[in-house]
């Protein structure tokens, strides 16, 4: 009964959000930094991460934390466009069948040129930053892995600051299913729902998205994953990725590729790739994600269990 009520409630919330399909909110969402994917493993797989169960679930789907059996920590550095960098740290701690998590994201832009309308010459520089601090909770409930994350958001441009907005994620993962005899997991995530971000006199909705995900263990060394994304402020799109564990002795050496159908450039923008190196309880991962004429971006993340 609990399982039915949980699924029914999330389906009803998802149904309400299908009004986005009218695209009346296209291009209007604020707090765009929330859309920048976290985790070199996940991004190497094109962002198809809703059904994955590692510590990067702090960003993708808090339900993915429910299966963690050890304390895990996670840190990532991202080289973004120009002089922009993104830092992320997180931790997950299992306690008596429940998992508690903490995460912090910080995006900074240094020495951005200040210009006035109808002028091609800069009149100085300014700095800007976006930040998010979140707490997560996950547990196994009625045959499902379930979880929730709540974040406090704030942005600053020069001397101007936004209000503190609140964003929430809620998700479930159903494991133990089968696809052609292969282990299958299904996921549903409602991500970045919350209050509006107000900056000076303008208020923007958050970049909310509904994600339907799946992961299939094709073999003990290969995983295939896919996410269907229904965003508030863009077109419906899909992320597809795979991970293959190379047969290397003593260490884990996964290679990854991914593709996202939402392409804004006439280049290979949709593709991504990456690899990892695992030794004992520690994993170092790298991902390359191109953005057409804007430039290539790179993610380096480190995770550990103890």
């Amino acid at each position: 009964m609990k399982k039915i009520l949980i699924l029914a409630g999330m389906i009803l919330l998802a149904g309400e959000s299908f009004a986005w399909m009218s695209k009346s909110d296209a291009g209007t969402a604020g707090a765009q930094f929330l859309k920048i994917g976290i985790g070199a493993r996940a991004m190497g797989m094109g962002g198809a991460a809703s059904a994955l169960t590692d510590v990067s679930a702090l960003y993708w789907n808090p339900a993915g934390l429910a299966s963690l059996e050890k304390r895990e920590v996670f840190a990532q550095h991202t080289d973004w466009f120009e002089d922009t960098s993104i830092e992320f740290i997180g931790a997950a701690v299992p306690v008596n069948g429940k998992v508690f998590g903490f995460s912090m994201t910080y995006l900074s832009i240094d020495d951005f040129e200040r210009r006035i309308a109808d002028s091609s010459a800069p009149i100085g520089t300014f700095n800007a930053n976006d930040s998010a601090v979140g707490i997560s909770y996950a547990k196994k409930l009625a045959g499902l892995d379930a979880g929730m994350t709540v974040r406090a958001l704030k942005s600053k441009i020069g001397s101007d600051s936004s209000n503190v907005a609140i964003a929430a994620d809620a998700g479930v993962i159903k494991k133990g299913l089968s696809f052609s005899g292969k282990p299958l997991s299904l996921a549903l995530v409602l991500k970045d729902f919350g209050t509006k971000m107000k900056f000076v006199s303008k208020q923007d909705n958050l970049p909310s998205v509904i994600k339907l995900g799946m992961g299939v263990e094709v073999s003990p060394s290969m995983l295939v994953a896919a996410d269907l994304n229904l965003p508030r402020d863009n077109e419906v799109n899909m992320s597809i990725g795979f991970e293959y564990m190379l047969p290397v002795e003593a260490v884990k050496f996964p290679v990854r590729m991914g593709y996202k159908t939402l392409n804004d450039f006439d280049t290979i923008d949709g593709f991504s790739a990456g690899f990892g190196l695992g030794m004992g309880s520690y994993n170092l991962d790298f991902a390359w994600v191109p953005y057409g004429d804007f430039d290539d971006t790179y993610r380096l993340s480190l995770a550990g269990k103890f």
Side-chain angles (χ1 to χ4, degrees):
M1 186 63 181
K2 287 183 179 179
K3 179 178 174 181
I4 294 174
L5 290 174
I6 291 169
L7 288 174
M10 296 195 75
I11 290 170
L12 285 172
L13 286 172
E16 288 294 323
S17 301
F18 279 112
W20 301 348
M21 302 301 289
S22 66
K23 290 293 163 282
S24 60
D25 288 333
T28 64
Q32 290 288 302
F33 77 102
L34 294 175
K35 297 165 68 173
I36 300 172
I38 296 297
R41 180 194 182 202
M43 293 308 297
M45 297 173 66
S50 293
L52 300 184
T53 55
D54 62 34
V55 68
S56 69
L58 289 164
Y59 172 83
W60 296 100
N61 179 3
L65 302 173
S67 295
L68 302 187
E69 298 178 349
K70 294 183 178 181
R71 292 171 290 182
E72 297 196 24
V73 294
F74 179 85
Q76 176 186 292
H77 170 75
T78 302
D79 283 327
W80 204 239
F81 310 129
E82 300 298 335
D83 294 320
T84 304
S85 63
I86 305 166
E87 315 299 336
F88 181 93
I89 59 172
V93 180
V95 179
N96 298 326
K98 307 175 183 64
V99 180
F100 298 89
F102 168 83
S103 58
M104 182 170 65
T105 306
Y106 184 77
L107 179 150
S108 63
I109 306 173
D110 296 326
D111 299 326
F112 202 76
E113 290 185 349
R114 185 188 300 272
R115 298 174 184 269
I116 59 176
D118 302 322
S119 173
S120 59
I123 58 173
T125 62
F126 65 93
N127 298 332
N129 61 71
D130 297 297
S131 61
V133 177
I135 56 174
S136 302
Y137 174 79
K139 66 175 295 184
K140 294 186 179 296
L141 181 65
L144 300 170
D145 288 3
M148 183 173 184
T149 294
V150 178
R151 299 185 186 88
L153 317 173
K154 193 172 181 63
S155 294
K156 184 177 181 180
I157 301 178
S159 59
D160 295 323
S161 297
S162 72
N163 66 318
V164 176
I166 302 298
D169 305 344
V172 294
I173 297 176
K174 175 60 179 175
K175 297 181 177 180
L177 303 174
S178 177
F179 179 78
S180 297
K182 308 297 182 181
L184 167 70
S185 296
L186 297 178
L188 169 62
V189 192
L190 309 180
K191 183 168 171 55
D192 295 325
F193 285 75
T195 63
K196 291 187 176 183
M197 178 75 80
K198 182 178 180 180
F199 206 94
V200 189
S201 59
K202 185 179 180 182
Q203 296 189 78
D204 292 319
N205 291 313
L206 299 182
S208 309
V209 60
I210 299 170
K211 291 175 171 283
L212 304 173
M214 62 173 286
V216 181
E217 294 182 24
V218 178
S219 72
S221 58
M222 180 177 287
L223 171 68
V224 176
D227 278 7
L228 178 66
N229 307 302
L230 294 86
R232 174 193 293 275
D233 64 341
N234 215 318
E235 299 175 356
V236 175
N237 60 88
M238 176 172 280
S239 299
I240 303 170
F242 86 92
E243 177 181 65
Y244 178 73
M245 194 72 65
L246 292 176
V248 179
E249 294 184 3
V251 299
K252 294 181 292 183
F253 195 88
V255 293
R256 307 174 181 111
M257 289 189 65
Y259 182 77
K260 188 171 183 178
T261 62
L262 183 62
N263 294 329
D264 297 322
F265 311 98
D266 294 327
T267 66
I268 60 172
D269 170 45
F271 287 97
S272 60
F275 63 88
L277 179 64
M279 298 184 67
S281 298
Y282 297 92
N283 293 283
L284 180 67
D285 294 294
F286 172 83
W288 163 74
V289 185
Y291 282 84
D293 294 335
F294 277 94
D295 211 348
D296 295 342
T297 66
Y298 305 93
R299 289 166 174 79
L300 184 67
S301 61
L302 176 65
K305 302 178 183 181
F306 57 98

